[in-house]
């Protein structure tokens, strides 16, 4: 609970905002209006920004569109494409109708009695790209039937990311292998970097950037390394934006902004107070958002300054329009991108809604798309795993 002095400071801030605007937030973003926006890969686009600017999603007191049972524990966020919600779980890739929640199909890459590692897939033009122990597998989005596969050295650990206009697709493995794969399963090149590949982004017309468990970032083009950058910890999330900016979250080393292209990975700033952000960073409204078990953090994208930090154990963040969605212990939370008004963690109007999911439940991943907010929920109390859709 904030002290009396902090509370009075927040109230004074709110009064000042009426004249001068928010002290350490931003208000430039506006609510999205597109109710058919898709979220076709783990972090929305090949930049990994986890932000759908025009997407309509609930902003106050949502109701349930549906709730349906999952066969396995959800792994990160679901994707939404072609009228389907596709959730990776320890039991397989599970697909549902985005409107009704009806189960469409489940795909398992190996022995049905053994768990597999399924990072979130990617989907485009009726094809679902799945990473698993055997490699990259292309499924028919309607039936879940396998169309083709590419064998890899080790299991795929970095979610598939498309290049420009979805051709090629890139994947990375726990053996440090990175592959560029064309339509139909043709491997154009494969190369090896140091450490397990944890994340991929492809912001340029050609090439891909890989982050590893060994604490390095590699820019690859035609299978060759253009530059290599050591960072202070395992890469836990990456996001890029036009203008040669790359944001990297690390385990124990904070968040860095790197300058790419001719700058060859030069550090522009480093915020040691930045979040671990396991899985995703959100780039929106001139800021970098990330979450970890200490809460949600907002950093200024220009200089890395800390805007605010707000509580709740956080497993996932995503944004649409002017709203940041948070998957947390016991709740799915919507916050204004500005964080409300105030100083640091002492803020007013910092929530749009808080939807309870149960004291022992956690929202592992959240996805704003199709006019709704989808969340994979794991409940340690009941042992139930479920997919929730709010609207």
């Amino acid at each position: 609970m904030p002290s009396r002095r902090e509370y009075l400071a927040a109230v004074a801030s709110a009064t000042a905002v009426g004249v001068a605007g928010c002290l350490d937030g931003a208000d430039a973003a506006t609510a999205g209006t597109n109710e058919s926006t898709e979220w076709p890969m783990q972090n929305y686009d090949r930049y990994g920004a986890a932000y759908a600017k025009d997407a309509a999603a609930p902003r106050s007191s949502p109701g349930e569109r549906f709730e349906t049972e999952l066969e396995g524990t959800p792994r990160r966020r679901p994707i939404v494409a072609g009228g389907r919600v596709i959730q990776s779980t320890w039991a397989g890739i599970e697909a549902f109708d985005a409107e009704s929640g009806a189960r469409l199909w489940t795909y398992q890459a190996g022995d049905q009695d053994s768990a597999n590692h399924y990072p979130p897939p990617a989907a485009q033009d009726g094809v679902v790209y799945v990473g698993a122990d055997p490699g990259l597998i292309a499924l028919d989005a309607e039936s879940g039937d396998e169309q083709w596969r590419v064998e890899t050295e080790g299991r795929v650990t970095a979610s598939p990311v498309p290049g420009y206009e979805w051709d090629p697709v890139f994947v990375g493995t726990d053996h440090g292998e990175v592959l560029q794969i064309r339509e139909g399963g043709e491997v154009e090149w494969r190369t090896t970097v140091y450490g397990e590949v944890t994340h991929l982004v492809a912001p340029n017309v050609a090439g891909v950037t890989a982050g590893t468990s060994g604490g390095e970032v590699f820019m690859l083009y035609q299978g060759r390394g253009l530059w290599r950058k050591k960072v202070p910890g395992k890469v836990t999330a990456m996001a890029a934006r036009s203008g040669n900016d790359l944001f990297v979250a690390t385990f124990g080393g904070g968040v860095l902004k790197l300058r790419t292209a001719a700058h060859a990975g030069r550090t522009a700033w480093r915020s040691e107070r930045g979040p671990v952000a396991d899985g995703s960073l959100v780039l929106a409204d001139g800021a970098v958002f990330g979450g970890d078990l200490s809460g949600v953090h907002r950093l200024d994208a220009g200089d890395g300054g800390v805007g605010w930090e707000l509580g709740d154990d956080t497993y996932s963040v995503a944004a649409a329009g002017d709203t940041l969605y948070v998957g947390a212990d016991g709740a799915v939370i919507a916050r204004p991108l500005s964080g409300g008004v105030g100083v640091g963690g002492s803020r007013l109007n910092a929530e749009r809604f808080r939807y309870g999911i149960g004291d022992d439940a956690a929202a592992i991943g959240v996805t704003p798309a199709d006019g709704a907010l989808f969340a994979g929920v794991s409940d340690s109390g009941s042992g139930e795993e479920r997919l929730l859709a709010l609207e």
Side-chain angles (χ1 to χ4, degrees), residues 16-285:
V17 164
V19 177
C22 182
L23 295 183
D24 57 9
D27 293 310
T30 58
T33 58
N34 188 342
E35 296 187 351
S36 61
T37 300
E38 297 187 343
W39 193 289
M41 66 194 80
Q42 178 182 357
N43 289 326
Y44 180 63
D45 58 14
R46 61 192 176 96
Y47 294 86
Y51 177 45
K53 180 179 180 180
D54 298 325
R59 300 173 72 250
S60 63
S61 303
E64 284 189 12
R65 176 184 288 187
F66 65 77
E67 184 177 67
T68 190
E69 182 181 356
L70 293 169
E71 294 178 355
T73 303
R75 285 186 47 78
R76 297 187 176 165
R77 75 173 93 251
I79 67 167
V80 181
R84 304 173 186 88
V85 186
I86 304 174
Q87 174 73 65
S88 60
T89 74
W90 283 105
I93 302 297
E94 304 185 38
F96 304 86
D97 183 274
E99 188 62 35
S100 68
R103 180 178 294 275
L104 302 176
W105 48 262
T106 300
Y107 175 83
Q108 296 175 313
D111 185 349
Q112 294 188 8
D113 295 325
S114 62
N116 205 325
H117 179 97
Y118 297 98
Q124 172 74 0
D125 286 343
V127 179
V128 181
Y129 300 93
V130 174
D133 247 341
L136 179 69
I137 303 163
L139 305 179
D140 180 270
E142 185 173 351
S143 65
D145 294 337
E146 184 175 326
Q147 296 183 327
W148 50 262
R149 69 167 61 193
V150 172
E151 301 290 335
T152 58
E153 290 293 331
R155 58 186 173 86
V156 172
T157 47
S159 289
V161 168
Y164 185 68
E165 294 186 347
W166 283 85
D167 189 20
V169 171
F170 300 96
V171 293
T173 76
D174 62 347
H175 286 200
E177 189 177 37
V178 179
L179 296 85
Q180 176 173 299
I181 302 169
R182 294 288 182 183
E183 187 176 354
E186 175 192 354
V187 178
E188 193 159 31
W189 56 257
R190 63 175 78 205
T191 192
T192 302
V193 297
Y194 177 73
E196 174 184 316
V197 182
T198 56
H199 290 276
L200 298 169
V201 293
N204 302 313
V205 173
V208 65
T209 303
T212 74
S213 62
E216 292 190 287
V217 178
F218 297 81
M219 172 60 199
L220 305 171
Y221 174 73
Q222 295 299 328
R224 303 187 306 274
L226 295 185
W227 54 262
R228 175 181 182 179
K229 173 73 173 183
K230 183 67 178 175
V231 294
K234 172 185 175 180
V235 175
T236 57
M238 285 198 311
R241 67 179 183 183
S242 57
N244 301 321
D245 291 335
L246 178 69
F247 300 89
V248 182
T250 65
F251 186 81
V255 174
L256 300 89
K257 176 182 177 180
L258 305 182
R259 298 288 289 152
T260 61
H263 299 281
R266 175 178 61 83
T267 301
W269 54 253
R270 175 187 173 194
S271 173
E272 294 187 9
R273 291 176 60 188
V276 174
D278 189 19
S280 62
L281 290 170
V282 171
L283 304 185
D285 208 24

Side-chain angles (χ1 to χ4, degrees), residues 372-385:
L373 180 64
F374 300 89
V377 176
S378 180
D379 193 322
S380 61
S382 66
E384 297 177 350
E385 320 291 347

